[in-house]
Amino acid sequence: MENICVGVRVRPTVPSELSNGTYWKVEENRISLHKVHGTPISGLSYAFDHVCDGSCTNAMVYELLTKDIMHAAVEGFNGTAFAYGQTSSGKTFTMSGSETDPGIIHRAVKDVFAKTQLISDREFLIRVSYMEIYNEEINDLFAVENQKLQIHENLERGVFVAGLREEIVNNTEQVLKLIRSGEVNRHFGETNMNVRSSRSHTIFRMVIESKAKDTNLSSDYSSSDAIRVSVLNLVDLAGSERIAKTGAGGVRLKEGKHINKSLMVLGNVINKLSDGAKQRGHIPYRDSKLTRILQPALGGNAKTSIICTIAPEEVHIEETKGTLQFASRAKCITNCVQVNEILTDAALLKRQKLEIEELRKKLQGSHAEVLEQVILTLRNDLLKHELEREKLQIELEDERKSHREHDKSIWEQQMKIVDLCDIVTSSGFDTKSGQDSVTQCLKQECNDSNSICHGDTFRTPCVKASPKAFVAKRSSYLTLPDYSPLPDTFSNVVDEDTWLRINKGHIVDLDSLQMTLARKVQSFPSSDATPACSSEKYRQEVQYLKRKLLIATEERNELEREHAEQILLNHRLMDDISGLQKEAKLIQEMPKRLSESVADCKDIYGDVLSIMQSFVFDEKSTSAKLLSSTSEIGMCLFRTLETHFSMGTDDHIPFTGNNSLIQEQHKVLYEKLTSTITSLVLSQTPTTENEQLEVKQCSCENKVAAWSQLSRFHALIMILFSIMLLGLFYLNFFCILTL
Ligand code: ADP
Ligand code: MG
């Protein structure tokens, strides 16, 4: 474990900015705020690895803070040096320097090449790249066309910027020339604070590969084949000042927001790392592109040096305090540093080995300088091809990924439709003919498309031989860290209070700030390419099936409605039927009851007749005859009724039977009744001489009694007639009923 090296560099005071209150005093490795008369202000004294005052040159700063890192990089250690501070505090001056006093980048490049010259037993291959992070977009400063590059990560290369141009170089001049051309592409802006102020972060990167020199050309890997690969990052950060103070607006303000937000994430990362290994938890490297690229340098496998530049003027006192607090926190960070030795094709030296050896053989005898130049050109060509291929591979992979996601979403949709179809079918709805076959077809198609999704149909053949070996030494940072979204754009900027608190070690809850979610996977292009056609076909099919499903669902709903109505009607009918059944039962019981009633009536009738017969003294009288015929008619009538009702009560004989018999008896009875009534009417007046004589012979009282008896007698006969008429009526009624 190794602590980060933290130094402070104080820029020379600008003469116009006079101080009349306080000043920063530098004593050895300590910087403290003093009052004008020299009294130190308590709580504002900071100690670092090195503190350089205004008189320090870039040469001295390089010697003190970064030289060791450069040398270590040549030996295979990752290294990072970055300048942090407010705008106009001297970051760019420190990193890039001036004509007379070259900066750290210049010196580092020179030093690295010088160092490699001294190591005669190793072969070196150095390549450089230069990028800028502007508004959270990575742009290539060596190739203007390479804009908005994406960060990728894999086991072999770790975190890398895909598509970034790399140039193989073999001397300082070459590199400086490339840097100069890159500078032209940088975004420069002007603010009130500085005439020329960079609004972007720049990262100059050197990848140094080296291997022990030997003549072994066999393809077998041995320990001498281990290649050291180290990455050196030299970073010039944009200003860390508060936005309000810049007084900028419009586009400039937006730039400021990005810069400060990006630095806020850096502050968060530093604060979290400085909490110590145990309290660290999740480090939000992924919350900004800057921290993601610098991930190995912050708590990972790298020797790191932070140069905090401060502007000594009193007007900048708050920013200076913030920078010093940031530096104090950074001092607590420890990195785990080790030489990176790898055996795989990840090393360019390894990949180019055979081609270069072949070329060397061909050009044997040529002048050494010419040979080296040709080799360099070949190497760059090979590298360009490789980078181009890598870029295409990444694009292809992205395309494939988006295709897979697209196919997957279609498949999911189709499965949903199939499920819905199944539900419709299983709910008893008799779908249209062919429904099952459609479902089957669809299922088949789904399976087919699924197999395509998971198959290798779209995979290009792997051009790279699978490495026989393994990553021999790879730092722990290469394992994928916890996910947190990569912000593309920031709509919010951290406020001043938060910014000041961050400098004091406060860790901002990034989730509470509005962050844009991770970049959406590029949607599948709607060109006339084959995959697009098939996707269009799928889309149409899905649309068609959706429509079909909608119609089927509507039909099912209609049927369900009708079904419910039918059930209601059924219930009503069942009620009616049970009512009718009850009535039918009553009707069935009616003949039995009537039969009983007839039997009762017959008894009463018999009783009445016997009583009446007791009043008849003369068997030959008219009354006796009338009574006799009435009795006969009555008995006949009751017998008829009894017969008829007994037929009705018998289950086996239908009640409807023998109507002709009833009608016949009815006729006979009617005739008898008519003749009896006629004879009764005639008997009301004494027609014969005997009768008239009887009447005359009776005493007056007897006459009255006899007449009254006769009248009662006749009345009784009338009642009997009434009963008989009633019986006739019943008979008629049942005739009608049975008909
Ligand atoms: P920053 O990059 O932090 O915004 P610069 O590096 O551009 O600031 O410095 C602002 C100005 O101050 C420049 O004109 C630069 O030449 C000058 N300057 C900064 N540091 C020093 C220094 N140590 N010695 C001399 N001039 C300096
Ligand atoms: Mg600058």
Side-chain angles (χ1 to χ4, degrees):
M1 297 294 273
E2 190 176 297
N3 271 77
I4 283 181
C5 172
V6 180
V8 169
R9 184 181 197 188
V10 185
R11 169 177 56 71
T13 314
V14 177
S16 59
E17 299 271 357
L18 290 172
S19 169
N20 48 17
T22 55
Y23 69 97
W24 291 98
K25 188 176 179 184
V26 176
E27 292 161 307
E28 295 188 351
N29 65 341
R30 181 169 288 277
I31 180 166
S32 26
L33 192 64
H34 283 245
K35 287 183 180 159
V36 168
H37 304 296
T39 330
I41 298 170
S42 68
L44 290 171
S45 180
Y46 307 85
F48 299 99
D49 293 313
H50 300 281
V51 178
C52 307
D53 62 17
S55 64
C56 274
T57 59
N58 280 333
M60 289 158 82
V61 171
Y62 178 77
E63 280 289 324
L64 288 170
L65 293 163
T66 52
K67 191 177 180 178
D68 289 347
I69 292 174
M70 307 312 151
H71 287 184
V74 176
E75 282 158 19
F77 293 95
N78 289 331
T80 297
F82 62 88
Y84 177 96
Q86 69 172 108
T87 297
S88 87
S89 60
K91 297 182 297 296
T92 305
F93 184 83
T94 303
M95 297 311 292
S96 302
S98 63
E99 285 289 317
T100 51
D101 189 10
I104 285 169
I105 295 174
H106 182 115
R107 288 171 194 278
V109 172
K110 205 173 166 188
D111 217 8
V112 164
F113 279 110
K115 181 85 177 156
T116 57
Q117 297 298 317
L118 293 175
I119 305 169
S120 55
D121 58 340
R122 293 188 76 83
E123 181 189 342
F124 285 89
L125 181 66
I126 299 168
R127 53 187 199 270
V128 294
S129 59
Y130 199 18
M131 72 189 108
E132 161 202 68
I133 304 172
Y134 181 66
N135 281 346
E136 279 301 295
E137 284 168 3
I138 302 171
N139 302 321
D140 193 341
L141 290 176
F142 284 166
V144 192
E145 67 276 14
N146 291 347
Q147 303 274 309
K148 299 183 183 179
L149 302 174
Q150 295 301 317
I151 297 172
H152 285 259
E153 185 170 11
N154 66 28
L155 198 64
E156 283 191 340
R157 292 188 60 183
V159 178
F160 66 99
V161 179
L164 185 69
R165 163 105 35 110
E166 288 185 328
E167 291 278 344
I168 297 171
V169 286
N170 57 6
N171 62 59
T172 312
E173 283 65 42
Q174 247 183 322
V175 181
L176 296 179
K177 198 176 160 197
L178 281 167
I179 289 172
R180 274 196 296 276
S181 70
E183 282 296 327
V184 177
N185 299 324
R186 279 192 71 178
H187 288 265
F188 288 105
E190 288 179 5
T191 68
N192 299 342
M193 296 186 75
N194 206 343
V195 180
R196 175 179 153 172
S197 168
S198 167
R199 309 308 305 165
S200 61
H201 313 285
T202 59
I203 302 171
F204 173 74
R205 178 172 275 195
M206 285 178 100
V207 180
I208 305 163
E209 289 187 8
S210 72
K211 68 180 272 289
K213 279 182 183 167
D214 68 25
T215 50
N216 181 17
L217 290 178
S218 97
S219 58
D220 291 337
Y221 294 113
S222 67
S223 61
S224 63
D225 283 314
I227 292 174
R228 289 179 189 169
V229 181
S230 56
V231 179
L232 187 62
N233 290 310
L234 302 173
V235 188
D236 181 4
L237 296 174
S240 62
E241 68 281 355
R242 291 171 296 168
I243 307 157
K245 206 172 178 181
T246 66
V251 175
R252 192 69 65 246
L253 188 65
K254 190 187 167 208
E255 289 171 4
K257 283 179 183 180
H258 280 283
I259 291 155
N260 271 343
K261 187 73 175 260
S262 187
L263 287 175
M264 185 200 71
V265 177
L266 176 68
N268 255 3
V269 168
I270 298 275
N271 291 340
K272 280 228 169 190
L273 288 169
S274 63
D275 277 345
K278 279 177 190 168
Q279 290 85 34
R280 273 183 192 182
H282 167 73
I283 313 291
Y285 293 113
R286 284 174 176 249
D287 285 353
S288 83
K289 289 186 171 131
L290 177 72
T291 47
R292 187 127 160 79
I293 292 170
L294 294 184
Q295 190 174 331
L298 303 164
N301 176 22
K303 284 175 176 281
T304 303
S305 177
I306 301 178
I307 304 152
C308 292
T309 55
I310 58 165
E313 294 80 22
E314 201 174 15
V315 69
H316 301 307
I317 200 155
E318 284 308 316
E319 270 72 28
T320 302
K321 274 197 246 176
T323 304
L324 293 173
Q325 281 159 350
F326 173 90
S328 300
R329 305 283 302 174
K331 219 158 68 75
C332 307
I333 299 172
T334 52
N335 283 355
C336 182
V337 193
Q338 60 186 26
V339 171
N340 298 308
E341 277 195 337
I342 62 169
L343 290 168
T344 67
D345 272 357
L348 194 61
L349 261 180
K350 180 77 77 190
R351 298 200 297 274
Q352 293 188 346
K353 184 178 171 179
L354 292 175
E355 285 94 337
I356 301 302
E357 289 306 328
E358 233 170 80
L359 193 73
R360 255 189 232 280
K361 272 185 203 162
K362 273 186 198 168
L363 295 171
Q364 241 171 9
S366 307
H367 197 271
E369 263 182 37
V370 176
L371 179 68
E372 285 312 309
Q373 194 53 49
V374 175
I375 287 173
L376 182 71
T377 313
L378 174 73
R379 282 194 144 140
N380 263 320
D381 286 349
L382 286 171
L383 181 63
K384 269 189 196 111
H385 283 122
E386 252 189 37
L387 290 172
E388 195 61 35
R389 197 185 62 197
E390 183 188 73
K391 195 178 162 191
L392 287 170
Q393 264 180 347
I394 287 167
E395 279 172 10
L396 190 69
E397 193 49 51
D398 282 352
E399 188 106 322
R400 235 183 255 149
K401 200 177 156 194
S402 95
H403 195 130
R404 275 201 296 271
E405 279 176 15
H406 187 255
D407 277 352
K408 198 180 158 209
S409 77
I410 287 175
W411 184 75
E412 280 170 359
Q413 272 187 335
Q414 284 175 335
M415 284 317 291
K416 269 184 205 166
I417 291 169
V418 169
D419 286 349
L420 283 168
C421 285
D422 284 349
I423 290 166
V424 170
T425 313
S426 65
S427 68
F429 171 61
D430 184 18
T431 48
K432 286 168 193 166
S433 62
Q435 170 80 44
D436 284 349
S437 60
V438 167
T439 310
Q440 284 302 321
C441 257
L442 201 53
K443 272 182 179 166
Q444 183 61 41
E445 217 169 299
C446 289
N447 290 336
D448 289 350
S449 63
N450 195 32
S451 64
I452 288 167
C453 283
H454 302 299
D456 283 338
T457 323
F458 295 98
R459 256 190 208 160
T460 48
C462 185
V463 288
K464 204 174 186 179
S466 59
K468 285 181 192 169
F470 55 91
V471 178
K473 287 181 184 176
R474 191 52 89 177
S475 61
S476 57
Y477 72 83
L478 286 175
T479 54
L480 282 169
D482 295 344
Y483 174 79
S484 61
L486 271 178
D488 267 356
T489 55
F490 296 110
S491 52
N492 263 4
V493 67
V494 60
D495 56 50
E496 286 195 24
D497 284 349
T498 316
W499 184 236
L500 289 173
R501 278 188 289 140
I502 285 172
N503 286 332
K504 287 174 187 160
H506 171 73
I507 295 164
V508 176
D509 177 13
L510 294 162
D511 295 335
S512 70
L513 294 166
Q514 265 190 333
M515 305 274 274
T516 312
L517 287 172
R519 187 176 68 96
K520 295 249 181 350
V521 179
Q522 184 197 349
S523 61
F524 206 67
S526 57
S527 67
D528 53 359
T530 318
C533 281
S534 77
S535 74
E536 179 62 21
K537 192 178 138 235
Y538 278 131
R539 203 180 59 77
Q540 283 175 359
E541 228 164 278
V542 168
Q543 289 293 328
Y544 166 73
L545 286 166
K546 269 185 187 169
R547 275 200 300 277
K548 230 177 151 184
L549 182 70
L550 202 72
I551 292 164
T553 314
E554 276 171 8
E555 281 179 20
R556 191 192 63 178
N557 291 343
E558 182 63 30
L559 281 170
E560 275 177 354
R561 265 198 301 279
E562 281 176 18
H563 182 62
E565 281 171 15
Q566 287 286 347
I567 287 172
L568 210 69
L569 204 69
N570 270 2
H571 283 145
R572 277 189 208 145
L573 282 171
M574 290 302 283
D575 289 347
D576 289 352
I577 286 167
S578 68
L580 285 169
Q581 276 174 342
K582 276 178 196 164
E583 280 177 28
K585 206 178 168 190
L586 283 173
I587 288 167
Q588 272 178 352
E589 285 172 358
M590 209 178 267
K592 197 185 160 196
R593 286 185 193 171
L594 284 169
S595 181
E596 286 165 6
S597 303
V598 167
D600 291 345
C601 284
K602 195 183 166 190
D603 293 346
I604 296 165
Y605 186 74
D607 291 347
V608 172
L609 275 176
S610 60
I611 293 164
M612 283 177 75
Q613 272 172 347
S614 65
F615 288 102
V616 177
F617 307 107
D618 185 4
E619 293 288 330
K620 289 177 183 172
S621 66
T622 317
S623 301
K625 282 179 190 168
L626 184 66
L627 193 61
S628 159
S629 69
T630 305
S631 163
E632 200 184 315
I633 292 167
M635 284 304 168
C636 179
L637 175 69
F638 282 118
R639 270 197 305 278
T640 311
L641 284 171
E642 270 179 340
T643 316
H644 189 70
F645 291 141
S646 66
M647 278 162 66
T649 49
D650 194 340
D651 288 342
H652 302 290
I653 302 163
F655 189 60
T656 51
N658 221 355
N659 286 328
S660 55
L661 181 69
I662 292 169
Q663 278 170 355
E664 204 179 298
Q665 284 178 344
H666 172 252
K667 208 174 163 185
V668 172
L669 279 169
Y670 186 78
E671 278 168 7
K672 277 188 178 179
L673 192 64
T674 313
S675 68
T676 310
I677 290 167
T678 313
S679 63
L680 184 67
V681 170
L682 287 171
S683 70
Q684 288 295 308
T685 48
T687 49
T688 62
E689 281 181 14
N690 286 340
E691 281 172 346
Q692 283 169 2
L693 191 68
E694 271 176 36
V695 173
K696 280 175 191 171
Q697 283 173 351
C698 281
S699 64
C700 191
E701 282 179 359
N702 287 341
K703 276 181 188 172
V704 171
W707 270 110
S708 67
Q709 270 186 2
L710 202 66
S711 299
R712 277 201 298 274
F713 189 75
H714 284 172
L716 281 168
I717 290 171
M718 287 306 293
I719 289 164
L720 284 172
F721 270 110
S722 302
I723 291 166
M724 281 189 286
L725 280 169
L726 198 67
L728 274 172
F729 168 74
Y730 267 122
L731 208 60
N732 269 321
F733 170 73
F734 276 100
C735 281
I736 292 158
L737 205 72
T738 49
L739 280 169

